Amino acid sequence: MTAQSTEARHPASAGFHALTDAQALSTLLDAQMSALTAVRAAFPALEQAAARSVDVLRAGGKMAYAGAGSSGLMALADSLELAGTFGIAPDRTPLMFAGGAAALLHLTGAVEDDPELARADVVQAGIGAGDVVLCLSASGTTPYTLVVAREAAACGATIVGFANVAGSALLDLADIPVLLDTGPEVVSGSTRMGAATAQKAALNLLSALVGVRLGHVHDGYMVSLIADNAKLVDRAARIVADISGVSRAMAEAALAQTGGAVKPAILVARGQSPAEAKAALAESGGHLPATLTR
């Protein structure tokens, strides 16, 4: 695979325009599934990145994201979900996206070539020593992402580089390189497809593992969720009832005593006072006791 593998021709590209609808969809789906297989080879790097991110977040640092275009959108999707799913404050997971909010409404290519935008975004995000920055670029050569990585590294941050091309500049400069070797796209160069699919899957796995290790997941439940709509309020009550083994009414009463916080409500439902629950969680680093059973 060459340094331009994401721009190379896919074996299924020839005659693709002449396929039937069903054939075209099947070809595209096969390519997406093939791209996902590249994620498994990156497990060792993802484990290392997750361990570093856990240490950083426990110490009060930031797990930041950076990218341009499709890679930036994958970063955006992951960073925005962490508050609601795991209760991680948004200021702990800032996003550096080439072109900022305006580019989210109309993606333009020029912003990913502007090094000054990248430098300004690193300053705006407050990146410093003890932080970790997840930098994404399909080609591994996107100027914006490379400048963010270099500037953040100069500030003392750990750089986790996600790229889909082996030997690319981003992987070379990263402290933790994550290669997602997805190869050519059926629509040549359209890295919003296979490359981005692998990036999103890798980020899903990384952030979920971080959430588990920080104590935000217990027995498969998101016990640090922020219940800010009707669906999540209902989910919170079901989680408390299921883990603590009490009725729905008792779960709701416990949540009322903890201001809607799920983890302390589980302990309250099992007989502790809110103060005792808070102290127990502080002592355990936010982890629910492993002995809890449904």
Side-chain angles (χ1 to χ4, degrees), residues 15 24 67 82 97 104 114 157 168 215 222 239 243 277 280:
L82 300 186
F97 183 80
L104 296 176
D114 190 334
S168 56
M222 50 177 78
I239 290 171
I243 293 179

Side-chain angles (χ1 to χ4, degrees), residues 210-234:
V210 168
V212 170
R213 297 301 177 234
L214 288 173
H216 300 315
V217 177
H218 181 89
D219 209 17
Y221 287 112
M222 50 177 78
V223 290
S224 294
L225 68 84
I226 296 176
D228 57 2
N229 62 30
K231 175 186 72 175
L232 295 180
V233 168
D234 175 71

Side-chain angles (χ1 to χ4, degrees), residues 1-9 139 141 165 184:
M1 195 162 289
T2 71
Q4 297 296 320
S5 61
T6 54
E7 298 292 330
R9 293 281 287 164
S139 67
T141 61
V165 177

Side-chain angles (χ1 to χ4, degrees), residues 189-212:
S190 184
T191 53
R192 71 182 185 86
M193 303 180 76
T197 293
Q199 289 177 353
K200 185 61 176 73
L203 289 176
N204 284 346
L205 300 182
L206 170 61
S207 58
L209 184 55
V210 168
V212 170

Side-chain angles (χ1 to χ4, degrees), residues 60-286:
K62 299 182 180 72
M63 183 178 74
Y65 294 74
S70 296
S71 295
L73 293 176
M74 299 305 101
L76 171 70
D78 202 65
S79 66
L80 289 180
E81 293 280 2
L82 300 186
T85 305
F86 301 129
I88 300 173
D91 62 0
R92 305 283 298 285
T93 61
L95 172 73
M96 290 166 280
F97 183 80
L104 296 176
L105 299 177
H106 179 64
L107 288 176
T108 58
V111 291
E112 70 178 49
D113 294 330
D114 190 334
E116 292 308 315
L117 284 178
R119 294 186 183 99
D121 287 349
V122 172
V123 173
Q124 179 66 29
I127 303 302
D131 293 333
V132 62
V133 184
L134 313 180
C135 298
L136 289 86
S137 166
S139 67
T141 61
T142 307
Y144 174 89
T145 309
L146 290 176
V147 173
V148 167
R150 293 186 181 112
E151 292 291 314
C155 293
T158 299
I159 306 302
V160 181
F162 293 77
N164 300 76
V165 177
S168 56
L170 180 57
L171 296 180
D172 286 344
L173 69 85
D175 299 296
I176 304 174
V178 182
L179 171 61
L180 303 169
D181 204 350
T182 50
E185 303 284 356
V186 174
V187 178
S188 299
S190 184
T191 53
R192 71 182 185 86
M193 303 180 76
T197 293
Q199 289 177 353
K200 185 61 176 73
L203 289 176
N204 284 346
L205 300 182
L206 170 61
S207 58
L209 184 55
V210 168
V212 170
R213 297 301 177 234
L214 288 173
H216 300 315
V217 177
H218 181 89
D219 209 17
Y221 287 112
M222 50 177 78
V223 290
S224 294
L225 68 84
I226 296 176
D228 57 2
N229 62 30
K231 175 186 72 175
L232 295 180
V233 168
D234 175 71
R235 182 181 297 167
R238 286 187 285 108
I239 290 171
V240 173
D242 199 19
I243 293 179
S244 63
V246 301
S247 67
R248 172 64 179 257
M250 291 179 66
E252 291 174 348
L255 283 164
Q257 294 184 63
T258 64
V262 172
K263 280 193 284 190
I266 291 168
L267 300 181
V268 168
R270 292 173 64 89
Q272 296 187 20
S273 69
E276 289 171 335
K278 182 178 179 180
L281 289 168
E283 184 177 351
S284 69

